[in-house]
Amino acid sequence: MSSAMVILLTGVLVAIACALSGAFLILRRMAMMVDAISHAILPGLVAGYFLAQGPDLLAGFAGAVLAAVLTVSLVEALQNTGRMAGESAIGIVFPAMFALGTFIVSRYFANVHLDADAILYGNIEFAPFDLLYINGVNLGPQSLWVMSGLCLMNALFVSLLYKELKVATFDPGLAAALGFSPALIHYALMAVVSITTVGAFTAVGAILVVALFVVPAATAWLLTDRLAVMIALAAAIGALSAVSGYIVASALDASVAGSIATMTGVFFGLAFLFAPQHGLVARARRLQRQRVEFGVQTLLVHLLNHEQSPNRQAESAIGHLSSELRWSASFARRITRKAAQADLLRRSGDDLSLTTQGRTEAESARMAEQSDAR
Amino acid sequence: MLIELFTDYTLRNVALGSALLGIVSGALGCFAVLRRQGLLGDALAHAALPGICVAFLLTGSKAPLVLLIGAALAGWLATLLLLTVVRETRLSTDSALAIVLSTFFGFGIVLLTFISRSGSANQAGLDKFLFGQAATLVAEDVQTMGLLGAAALLILAALHKEFKLLAFDAEFAASLGFPARGLSVLLTSLIVIAIVIGLQTVGVVLMAAMLVGPAVAARQWTNRLGVMVMLAAVFGAASGVSGALISVSEANTPTGPVIILSLTVIVLGSLFFAPARGLVWDAIRRRQQRAERLSD
């Protein structure tokens, strides 16, 4: 396997692993908890390094997962004191843990290579050279094994506990009544997220892990209302970001992890603007359409109300419409045109009169209005 | 040691810079915390990175003021995007924060690696914003920080009544005819100034604590906003100076992390031992009450 392929595949696997449980983090409003966890595992990694007397996959993993669990419990303990808001607790715990980590590194491992930049944005570029040996047998790049494992773990977690996660997320009260503890689900999710973070940390660093967990899932939520679809979409968007991010990074000779995070942002921006239901453009157009529909209805009812009155002609003049209905002249003209196009009214010069179809519509609108008023 | 504080050039700059950061971020952090925007500072600190890089790419200059303007503009843009996403989508503030934080920072990393690999090679000054290097502060930096900080504090003092109202009841403020949205943007801009001051000293990651920590600690001691702001400034300055002193007197101790660790000690101390709200007194009271009830 070429080294480019290893990097690309590692990126795709990390992105998918994170996106799978990321959907639940978005829905449970816990996005910043990932930020806290990803920073706070540093002292755990350092402790693992210290205990194993050198870089060791398992010791580092164990230390980091412990640190992650400690972070979640500390944040919750601080919140439960009732002395500070939730986000303040996060803002106190993770910088303290991160500071402790950097402090220990610079104080006791000044001569050790624990690269500061790698902590923040990882070194996925080295993935092809970090090979896994078991009993001296070369099994290929270690990152691929770790990330495949994480992907599998997340996929199993999300699919096996799908119903439980869904109920506990959307209706914790019902979950408790049905007999499974929302707290247990919460801690299971936190454990899976912590383990995934630790694995992904080595590839993409502390901050970009957050991008992979949160951004594809948030993008997916703008595209669908169905949880299962959201999870699948999140994984697909994550993978797409990894591939396109890798291409951009190679073209610019820039950081792969940074490019992947940037691409997640680009896809989010696209969904934010152009998502079919929840996008900015779709919503602006919907609003516009509703304004026109309502305007036509108002015009029809207005005409109906004045059909019998002696000054019918004056009531229907464009100038009068804009003062009585508080419309701009151009809006009044536009509404009149729309109504005429739909064959709801006839215009001859300045005079507007309802067609049969227009009258039926105006009468039903007026009745709906009256029953609303009642 | 204390005499050196006034005579040693490096130590004086580091201590002054850290104290300034502590005062400004402590005072402004109170409003962020009370408005439940404690993590806004974290997001804005990360979002500043691409601004710094773009400022360098456009001007080729590493002058602190140029980079700080870039950082401030990026922080502004990030705030704007954040507010838009929260207003226009069903995503929670917390998700929007994480999205802005991680994508801006990712883009910053792309620019940073692009700059360092494209041969201009003197990017060396830029990555100190990641972790902060208080030890490299020179008198010019401290002057810039002092000017920015003084400006922020003056505005805060001039508008303290408006900000107070905004912090406790923004809707009431709006109904009284105060431009609540404009005030909110102004307050966020002041926080961006605090962050810009902090980037050089404690770096991107630890900046969140400089805004949240002093405010949370001060909150435990008082119920009055004015006192809280003063106390937070004092706590911020104290952790800044003690961090600077410890890191200079011991070999191999980075200033930023030590500042944050001192701050954490202050926060925990306040949380447990503050006169009225301290958790320790709470526990003692509860134990006494239980004993009384049992003896009845």
Side-chain angles (χ1 to χ4, degrees), chain A residues 26 29-32 35 39 78 81 83-85 87-88 90-92 94-96 98-99 102-103 106-107 110 116 120-121 207-208 211 214-215 218 221-222 224-225 252-255 258-259 261-262 264-265 268 272 278 280 283, chain B residues 33 36-39 42 46 84-85 88-92 94-95 97-99 101-103 105-107 109-110 113-114 117 130-131 205-206 208-209 212 216 220 250-254 257-258 260-261 264 267 271 277-279 282:
Chain A
I26 291 285
R29 310 188 160 210
M30 300 193 61
M32 288 306 278
D35 187 44
H39 286 91
L78 280 183
T81 61
R83 301 294 196 268
M84 66 189 80
E87 77 280 328
S88 293
I90 293 179
I92 286 173
F94 88 81
F98 193 79
T102 31
F103 177 78
S106 33
R107 186 121 178 82
L120 285 184
Y121 52 93
I207 293 159
L208 305 178
V214 173
V215 188
W221 201 30
L222 296 180
T224 178
D225 290 339
L252 291 176
D253 189 20
S255 150
S259 305
T262 308
T264 63
F268 177 79
F272 178 60
H278 302 285
L280 223 51
R283 283 179 40 209
Chain B
V33 164
R36 312 207 141 219
Q37 292 181 333
L39 290 176
D42 189 35
H46 286 83
T84 314
V85 168
E88 301 291 340
T89 69
R90 51 184 170 177
L91 292 164
S92 62
D94 157 277
S95 308
L97 278 171
I99 291 168
L101 179 158
S102 58
T103 54
F105 191 79
F107 185 54
I109 294 295
V110 169
T113 46
F114 176 71
R117 287 172 198 173
L130 292 179
F131 284 103
V205 176
L206 301 178
V212 174
V216 167
Q220 310 309 321
E250 300 273 314
N252 284 333
T253 40
V258 178
I260 300 304
L261 291 175
T264 310
V267 171
L271 202 58
R277 288 160 63 97
L279 294 173
D282 240 26

Side-chain angles (χ1 to χ4, degrees), chain A:
Chain A
M1 204 185 296
S2 75
S3 53
M5 202 58 203
V6 174
I7 298 175
L8 191 60
L9 208 55
T10 306
V12 169
L13 288 171
V14 177
I16 292 177
C18 293
L20 285 174
S21 42
F24 292 100
L25 294 171
I26 291 285
L27 295 171
R28 298 167 74 93
R29 310 188 160 210
M30 300 193 61
M32 288 306 278
M33 193 63 118
V34 182
D35 187 44
I37 291 175
S38 70
H39 286 91
I41 57 181
L42 182 62
L45 286 174
V46 175
Y49 187 99
F50 183 73
L51 290 178
Q53 311 276 316
D56 181 272
L57 187 66
L58 277 181
F61 226 92
V65 170
L66 277 180
V69 173
L70 183 67
T71 306
V72 175
S73 337
L74 274 179
V75 168
E76 283 171 2
L78 280 183
Q79 286 170 352
N80 290 339
T81 61
R83 301 294 196 268
M84 66 189 80
E87 77 280 328
S88 293
I90 293 179
I92 286 173
V93 171
F94 88 81
M97 300 277 282
F98 193 79
L100 189 66
T102 31
F103 177 78
I104 297 175
V105 170
S106 33
R107 186 121 178 82
Y108 302 105
F109 301 100
N111 50 350
V112 165
H113 183 77
L114 212 150
D115 192 358
D117 298 347
I119 294 168
L120 285 184
Y121 52 93
N123 42 15
I124 197 171
E125 285 88 347
F126 294 144
F129 313 113
D130 209 356
L131 302 174
L132 180 68
Y133 289 95
I134 290 181
N135 298 329
V137 183
N138 179 1
L139 295 173
Q142 179 175 299
S143 66
L144 288 184
W145 288 100
V146 175
M147 302 311 161
S148 309
L150 292 179
C151 248
L152 190 67
M153 179 187 72
N154 277 279
L156 283 177
F157 176 69
V158 167
S159 53
L160 290 181
L161 289 178
Y162 180 73
K163 260 188 309 207
E164 287 79 358
L165 279 165
K166 190 174 178 178
V167 178
T169 298
F170 290 108
D171 196 343
L174 177 64
L178 288 176
F180 54 88
S181 152
L184 198 64
I185 297 283
H186 170 77
Y187 283 112
L189 178 64
M190 284 295 100
V192 168
V193 167
S194 301
I195 295 170
T196 312
T197 311
V198 177
F201 182 89
T202 51
V204 295
I207 293 159
L208 305 178
V209 166
V210 180
L212 292 181
F213 268 111
V214 173
V215 188
T219 310
W221 201 30
L222 296 180
L223 296 172
T224 178
D225 290 339
R226 301 191 55 83
L227 180 60
V229 181
M230 178 182 168
I231 295 172
L233 264 179
I237 294 167
L240 202 60
S241 310
V243 174
S244 53
Y246 179 74
I247 293 170
V248 170
S250 323
L252 291 176
D253 189 20
S255 150
V256 173
S259 305
I260 295 177
T262 308
M263 287 315 294
T264 63
V266 169
F267 288 121
F268 177 79
L270 288 176
F272 178 60
L273 291 175
F274 303 116
Q277 266 283 309
H278 302 285
L280 223 51
V281 173
R283 283 179 40 209
R285 289 182 57 158
R286 199 154 58 227
L287 200 69
Q288 195 56 33
R289 206 175 54 235
Q290 283 166 348
R291 266 183 62 187
V292 170
E293 272 169 18
F294 185 70
V296 168
Q297 222 176 51
T298 311
L299 176 62
L300 294 180
V301 172
H302 177 76
L303 291 177
L304 184 67
N305 286 343
H306 293 286
E307 222 169 21
Q308 311 302 331
S309 70
N311 51 353
R312 184 179 78 93
Q313 191 138 13
E315 285 291 343
S316 63
I318 298 274
H320 176 79
L321 288 179
S322 47
S323 69
E324 169 136 355
L325 300 173
R326 304 204 171 179
W327 287 351
S328 70
S330 68
F331 187 71
R333 263 196 297 277
R334 184 155 148 228
I335 295 297
T336 321
R337 200 168 56 239
K338 282 273 178 208
Q341 271 167 10
D343 212 17
L344 297 168
L345 55 75
R346 250 187 315 273
R347 58 187 302 186
S348 49
D350 239 6
D351 181 40
L352 305 174
S353 57
L354 290 168
T355 60
T356 332
Q357 196 189 340
R359 189 169 299 109
T360 335
E361 202 136 301
E363 273 160 358
S364 71
R366 189 161 67 180
M367 268 174 36
E369 220 170 80
Q370 279 163 354
S371 69
D372 275 355
R374 226 176 279 139

